[in-house]
Amino acid sequence: MSEKSIVTLDRLEKFCSEVLIKAGLELSDAAILTESLLCAELRGVSSHGVVRLSTYLNRIAAGVMDINSKMTIEKEFPASALLNANNGFGQIAGAKAMDIAVSKAKTSGASVVAVKNSNHFGVAAYFGLRAVRENMVGLVITNSSPAMTPYNTKTPLLGTNPLAIAIPAGEQKPIVLDMSTSVVARGKIRYASLVGEKIPLGWAVDSDGRPTEDAKAALKGSLEPIGGPKGAGLSLCIDLLCGVLTGTALTGEVINVTDTSGPSKTGHLFIAINVASFINPQFFAQNVDKVITHIKSLPSASGGQVYMPGEIEFNLEAKRLKEGIPLANDVLADLGRLAERYEVSKLI
Amino acid sequence: MSEKSIVTLDRLEKFCSEVLIKAGLELSDAAILTESLLCAELRGVSSHGVVRLSTYLNRIAAGVMDINSKMTIEKEFPASALLNANNGFGQIAGAKAMDIAVSKAKTSGASVVAVKNSNHFGVAAYFGLRAVRENMVGLVITNSSPAMTPYNTKTPLLGTNPLAIAIPAGEQKPIVLDMSTSVVARGKIRYASLVGEKIPLGWAVDSDGRPTEDAKAALKGSLEPIGGPKGAGLSLCIDLLCGVLTGTALTGEVINVTDTSGPSKTGHLFIAINVASFINPQFFAQNVDKVITHIKSLPSASGGQVYMPGEIEFNLEAKRLKEGIPLANDVLADLGRLAERYEVSKLI
């Protein structure tokens, strides 16, 4: 665990934009990607934040991701579209796709927009929040590289395929559920292995598909899905909708973001539901607020505070907007190397 | 556990229709409800099958459910609709809602149809399969009566709010995931309590929100969601989409199907995604088949066979179509009382 330094949001934003523009991204696209990376940092999802910048740029350098790609529309109907990211950034494709979904839902009531031939799209909540800003419910799913086994098998084929659901509220913060279909992230097991700790049963199976408490054996095996066959089934369905329905990848074919042997074969699906097409939006907002205040007023089981999905992240965002973003010094060193490569000013 | 007798599908179908028509349902509506009950029986989900018939008719007798209701359209856009079930059967409202969703998705690419003021709708897969028959992906969610606590609280407010995802295949059976957001059904805990067995940790919490192995304490407490905050968050989102977006109920207000103190305040949401709006349907079907045959060819972890979501249910359906449906004798006795009440021939 390296020490951390605080960087202001403005400084980090300027840095990311400069690097990305020097790397060849158009101004508006660099702004979207930067916004997504900062969204992750502000919300405390540092695994999907600026630490990914060099990973993404490495993919471009290796020729397995295209910085100059333009997204194209392959099929379009009043409430659906299939977009081709043409192997560009997932964040940029995803933001544009959700915006198209929102625009279609404004006239059609709801819409489903899928993206083929894309890449790692960062934090799923980012796209859901774009829908919420327009007073819509946003649903977001993506396929990802193999990490879990189909139920009752030993072969990791399924990704931890996350899903995000964002629901607008009134005075309260929106509900933003952003979850993988695995019990825990692989990072938690990597940490346990590093510090020599056992992991709880239920987190992972070994390479023979047997539940294990041994973190090293777990890293050679697979993550456990939530609810056994339920989480595995959910992940499979997300895979079929994002990989197969878009014509991007069969289950098991997605390539990890750090593997530069070929295009990542990532696909996403975005659903926008226009609240106003179903109910008076003010009435809806008031009722969501009522549910939130009711739940938050309940006695807690732990004795601590009761939080809604996404609330801890919103609180952290408010704090980091004021106080700046803590970055691990090894991440800062990594960003320093990028500064040299792209000839921009270092962060610190 | 009572003994069972075998009843043919035709006989059971005729019996259900006759009772429902005598009870006052129109012919076409009786056919839908009967089809849903038989779908549950064929697929081995007997908890949602003909055992519910007397429960539903009791609600009507008590005046908290309306057998003569006509569903009305409250809001409609090219890819969305809000329907009002006007307190009629959930199965009938749901089937019509999914059919409207399918029809809209044929011209618009995809659609979202919500139903307000409905009732228990039986087995969710039934509606997903209606979409699959039209070569569409069907997503189905519903709210339900309180059984789980919002994360880190002790108060059951959330339903086990199920979701179903049905995806068409080619030569293979469709993928049909039909799952609640709880780890297990309450019925499993009731059984353990009945036979005096302990339940595994992770199934339920007691009335103080503490994990318990005591089935009796669990029955006074709440079911555990899959993946802790993930399943609880998913259930909350389903509640907001089915209850609050439809203007039917705030979280915690749904009344159990056996409680005749008032209307059940159930809402549903149906999403139809037209495969042909995204990809050549033959190509899609072939690729889904490839994924299925690949997964089923993998070595199994248990040594037994590898099944896809819904496959065990399809196998059981094939068997029961040939061999008939086993009904517990106490269910048959219950149906016998209905035969007397509605003056139709007894099943056996």
Side-chain angles (χ1 to χ4, degrees), chain A residues 75 77 79-82 108-110 112 152 154 180 182 230 234 236 244-245 251 277-279 291 300-302 305 308, chain B residues 75 77 79-82 108-110 112 152 154 180 182 230 236 244-245 251 277-279 291 300-302 305 308:
Chain A
K75 276 176 182 277
F77 292 87
S80 76
L82 174 67
S108 295
V112 176
N152 192 24
K154 312 174 199 178
S180 73
S182 60
K230 297 183 180 190
L234 206 48
L236 174 65
V244 180
L245 186 69
T251 297
S277 300
F278 293 85
I279 195 167
V291 171
S300 87
S302 69
Q305 215 185 311
M308 305 303 292
Chain B
K75 276 177 181 278
F77 292 87
S80 76
L82 174 68
S108 295
V112 176
N152 192 25
K154 312 175 198 177
S180 72
S182 61
K230 297 184 180 191
L236 174 66
V244 180
L245 186 69
T251 296
S277 300
F278 293 86
I279 196 167
V291 170
S300 87
S302 70
Q305 213 185 312
M308 305 303 293

Side-chain angles (χ1 to χ4, degrees), chain B residues 1-5 51 191 194 326-334:
Chain B
M1 298 296 98
S2 80
E3 294 295 302
K4 290 184 177 180
S5 305
V51 69
Y191 179 77
L194 215 66
L327 292 179
N329 285 348
D330 52 2
V331 173
L332 279 168
D334 189 40

